[in-house]
Amino acid sequence: MPRWGWPRAVETISWSIDEFNNLKEDSVDVVFVGVSHMQYGISPMEIYKEYGIVSYNLATSAQPLDMTYYMLEEAFKRQSPSYVVLDASNFYFSVEGYGDSKRRNVLDSMPLSKEKIVAAKEYSEMTSDKSSKNKMERFNSIILPIIQYHTNWKSLYADNFSFTPRTDYCTAGYVMSPIKGQAYTDKEGLEKNTDDILNDNKRSFVTVLSNGELKTYEREESLYNPEIIPEQREMVKKINELCRKNNAKLIIVKLPVITFAYNYSSAWTRVKYEMTKDLAEEIGAEYFDFLFDSDIDLDINKDFHDIGYHLNYNGAVKASKIMGEYLSDNYGIGNKTCAFMDEHMATYEKMAEIATIQIEPDFYEYAKFLKEHSDDYIVCIAAREYWKENLTKDEEAALNILGLYSDIKEYSDTGNSYVAIIDSGNVEFEQISNRRISYFYENAGKTINVVSEGASCGNLAEVRINETDGERAESVAINGNGLNIVVIDKATNTVMDSCYIDTNSEDEKYHSLTHSDNSYHYLNDYIYGDN
């Protein structure tokens, strides 16, 4: 079987379902289901911290509603949640639009049961080849996955075998993202854009033909179709009946998605809001909308994982607080204790700390956070290029917060090298030179090598965490112009963050922290051990 939950993949459904099945029976009050917007957007641990509500997130990437149904059937065998919260995004997904893997990652992760066999039977019918042989092969490939995956050996590589996962999946199904994207627009811009589309909703083309002739025509289909897919409407009704049968109330929600409606089927508009609300009223479910029923106060520059599609950790904290408040105020639940959540809270909060570091764009706020949480970290700084050339007063103040720069400021020149090392809040080394600086620092059995070459001597910034036998390791610094910063966990020598601020540039828009694309991997490395 494939690892639907291996450490360097976003999809964590295998471990998430395993952990859910290991929870104490009838201990969960709320189950969250749906697509990746729910998976990234609602953290049960945050809701538990704030409100004492015990919940679990069983959302998966592009989760088909039929898979939601069967997963809930399985969940009701072990838990008796009073509330099931379903994200409405996939009400507008065409049934044909689901990739095969989106069903397989749920089906393969379910334990063998009557429910899984029924789900496999339904899955076997979803094929263009309706022959008995083909349907039987699809059915068998669910019950005996080796039929589907026995040729995977051709594409295996070292990382498939080399990691040692932790036994605790400590986020209760939530996928924590430390990546900072930026939405193209805000809610007001989104509504205006949608109104403009609806006023002129035909797809048009102007084509230059080979003879130089211009041809203009329109196709009949719309750029934007806000209708709930009929098959999905029926599946929502089926899910609602399953919840009623198990004495659970279905609450339909929509996690924030701020992007243009013609680009993305999960994009949200007031038109979809009204349609979804009408469906909820029709079937007797509750409906709560994060964009139009609440003031979630999203920052389009800091709260999204990507270009407005999914929330990162910052956004998820806001959404989870709103969700917890809604559940507490409307249904009076909360103030409970849960052994699973109490046991894993310290690990979760460490993860949250790392995510907060990796998202922060402001150097001054970043320095304040590192100072407040300094006990566990080693901070390495290596400069390159003319790093002092356009260093601002705020950036100097950020260095001062960390205990740096003020004592040797007068000795710095624009093209000098610069290295600093801070251990548990104490400055262990700081040097400016017109020559290359290479400093070695010992921690937890390993040597950290910090290298700076300013504009006058080579333009290089490196931080290497070497093995004790002296093997040369790859640099974990970005090597960007200006100040390169690497934050290392003292206990494990794991990189918590790698970023840089371009103090070489005159343009202030570049004077914000750029975090490594590997930041997500650094967080996963912390969660899942020594990968």
Side-chain angles (χ1 to χ4, degrees):
M1 287 175 61
R3 283 180 175 153
W4 296 111
W6 76 299
R8 290 184 183 263
V10 170
E11 191 59 76
T12 54
I13 186 60
S14 299
W15 290 342
S16 181
I17 288 180
D18 285 348
E19 197 60 61
F20 179 81
N21 291 339
N22 289 331
L23 292 174
K24 180 182 176 183
E25 288 191 9
D26 299 328
S27 61
V28 175
D29 295 325
V30 184
V31 170
F32 298 100
V33 288
V35 296
S36 55
H37 308 295
M38 179 72 83
Q39 190 182 25
Y40 279 84
I42 294 295
S43 169
M45 300 295 276
E46 294 291 334
I47 294 173
Y48 179 72
K49 273 198 300 183
E50 190 81 18
Y51 297 98
I53 296 171
V54 181
S55 61
Y56 203 92
N57 193 329
L58 285 173
T60 61
S61 174
Q63 186 176 99
L65 277 171
D66 52 302
M67 291 297 101
T68 301
Y69 179 86
Y70 288 115
M71 195 150 59
L72 282 173
E73 270 200 325
E74 196 66 45
F76 282 129
K77 290 162 59 177
R78 294 168 174 80
Q79 299 292 335
S80 301
S82 300
Y83 305 94
V84 170
V85 182
L86 169 65
D87 181 82
S89 297
N90 53 3
F91 297 8
Y92 298 85
F93 289 3
S94 66
V95 175
E96 298 80 14
Y98 290 114
D100 193 55
S101 67
K102 302 307 180 184
R103 285 190 169 84
R104 291 295 313 215
N105 67 7
V106 175
L107 288 167
D108 290 341
S109 302
M110 290 171 62
L112 185 60
S113 63
K114 180 184 75 173
E115 289 72 23
K116 182 168 183 171
I117 291 170
V118 174
K121 176 76 164 57
E122 183 171 304
Y123 173 79
S124 71
E125 299 288 340
M126 297 176 185
T127 173
S128 56
D129 182 351
K130 300 293 184 182
S131 67
S132 298
K133 179 177 182 294
N134 185 269
K135 288 193 287 187
M136 182 57 73
E137 285 176 350
R138 282 173 69 86
F139 176 86
N140 288 344
S141 76
I142 295 295
I143 306 306
L144 300 170
I146 193 172
I147 293 171
Q148 177 85 358
Y149 301 121
H150 71 278
T151 59
N152 276 13
W153 63 269
K154 298 177 182 178
S155 59
L156 295 177
Y157 49 97
D159 273 4
N160 286 105
F161 302 95
S162 65
F163 74 93
T164 305
R166 294 169 69 108
T167 56
D168 53 343
Y169 184 66
C170 59
T171 63
Y174 159 63
V175 173
M176 182 183 291
S177 168
I179 298 174
K180 182 184 75 66
Q182 183 175 358
Y184 288 139
T185 186
D186 55 17
K187 188 174 78 171
E188 289 70 27
L190 184 68
E191 289 202 72
K192 180 182 183 306
N193 177 269
T194 305
D195 290 340
D196 291 343
I197 291 170
L198 292 174
N199 289 333
D200 182 18
N201 201 23
K202 296 294 183 184
R203 188 187 302 270
S204 63
F205 295 86
V206 178
T207 305
V208 179
L209 302 177
S210 58
N211 60 4
E213 177 189 354
L214 287 180
K215 184 176 181 181
T216 305
Y217 61 94
E218 289 187 346
R219 288 185 180 174
E220 287 303 311
E221 74 265 23
S222 299
L223 279 165
Y224 169 61
N225 181 10
E227 296 295 327
I228 296 176
I229 306 298
E231 295 92 335
Q232 309 293 36
R233 179 183 292 272
E234 293 308 307
M235 188 54 69
V236 174
K237 293 178 180 179
K238 188 176 176 182
I239 290 170
N240 189 48
E241 287 305 312
L242 176 66
C243 291
R244 283 181 176 169
K245 178 183 172 184
N246 288 276
N247 300 311
K249 185 168 189 60
L250 179 64
I251 303 170
I252 298 171
V253 301
K254 182 62 186 77
L255 271 294
V257 174
I258 299 181
T259 192
F260 300 127
Y262 55 80
N263 278 344
Y264 192 55
S265 57
S266 295
W268 212 237
T269 66
R270 194 169 289 277
V271 176
K272 286 185 175 181
Y273 164 75
E274 296 294 349
M275 288 183 173
T276 309
K277 189 174 182 180
D278 288 345
L279 174 58
E281 289 178 358
E282 176 189 337
I283 65 176
E286 292 294 316
Y287 180 61
F288 176 69
D289 194 290
F290 281 79
L291 279 179
F292 298 112
D293 289 334
S294 69
D295 182 13
I296 191 171
D297 191 29
L298 286 175
D299 184 337
I300 64 172
N301 296 308
K302 287 183 67 173
D303 294 341
F304 283 96
H305 165 87
D306 39 34
I307 53 173
Y309 297 171
H310 303 88
L311 297 175
N312 62 18
Y313 172 69
N314 277 352
V317 169
K318 293 180 179 180
S320 300
K321 185 177 187 305
I322 295 284
M323 190 76 249
E325 184 178 27
Y326 176 86
L327 291 167
S328 177
D329 290 351
N330 288 276
Y331 303 109
I333 60 173
N335 298 317
K336 291 181 66 174
T337 58
C338 172
F340 169 85
M341 293 191 164
D342 290 337
E343 178 185 352
H344 297 303
M345 188 58 74
T347 306
Y348 175 84
E349 289 186 333
K350 183 66 175 181
M351 288 172 55
E353 189 177 308
I354 298 166
T356 301
I357 292 172
Q358 293 178 358
I359 290 169
E360 181 57 59
D362 184 271
F363 186 31
Y364 188 82
E365 294 299 321
Y366 187 81
K368 280 170 52 179
F369 190 90
L370 290 179
K371 186 66 176 177
E372 291 167 6
H373 299 81
S374 61
D375 289 350
D376 299 332
Y377 297 138
I378 294 172
V379 180
C380 303
I381 300 178
R384 62 163 284 178
E385 263 291 344
Y386 294 99
W387 62 273
K388 188 199 169 187
E389 186 79 12
N390 293 291
L391 193 70
T392 67
K393 294 292 184 184
D394 284 346
E395 288 155 4
E396 281 192 32
L399 290 170
N400 296 164
I401 286 172
L402 296 172
L404 300 173
Y405 196 58
S406 57
D407 292 339
I408 59 175
K409 177 180 177 181
E410 62 182 292
Y411 301 101
S412 67
D413 199 358
T414 55
N416 284 171
S417 305
Y418 175 73
V419 162
I421 296 178
I422 305 164
D423 187 338
S424 301
N426 300 311
V427 178
E428 298 293 336
F429 180 80
E430 184 180 24
Q431 188 175 80
I432 287 174
S433 174
N434 62 354
R435 296 291 183 267
R436 182 179 192 268
I437 302 171
S438 178
Y439 188 78
F440 292 88
Y441 189 75
E442 298 294 325
N443 178 68
K446 292 187 180 180
T447 301
I448 301 168
N449 181 205
V450 186
V451 176
S452 171
E453 297 176 1
S456 60
C457 56
N459 283 331
L460 181 69
E462 292 185 334
V463 176
R464 300 179 181 276
I465 306 174
N466 296 322
E467 301 292 339
T468 53
D469 60 8
E471 287 184 9
R472 184 176 175 83
E474 183 179 351
S475 175
V476 292
I478 295 177
N479 193 32
N481 287 342
L483 298 173
N484 291 262
I485 306 163
V486 175
V487 182
I488 300 169
D489 181 79
K490 282 194 66 174
T492 63
N493 279 312
T494 303
V495 176
M496 301 289 97
D497 187 35
S498 179
C499 62
Y500 79 98
I501 180 168
D502 190 356
T503 55
N504 177 70
S505 175
E506 293 181 9
D507 194 335
E508 287 191 8
K509 72 180 180 182
Y510 295 112
H511 283 238
S512 62
L513 291 170
T514 298
H515 297 268
S516 168
D517 290 340
N518 289 324
S519 288
Y520 200 20
H521 298 162
Y522 298 149
L523 181 60
N524 277 349
D525 286 350
Y526 179 82
I527 305 168
Y528 299 115
D530 62 357
N531 183 38

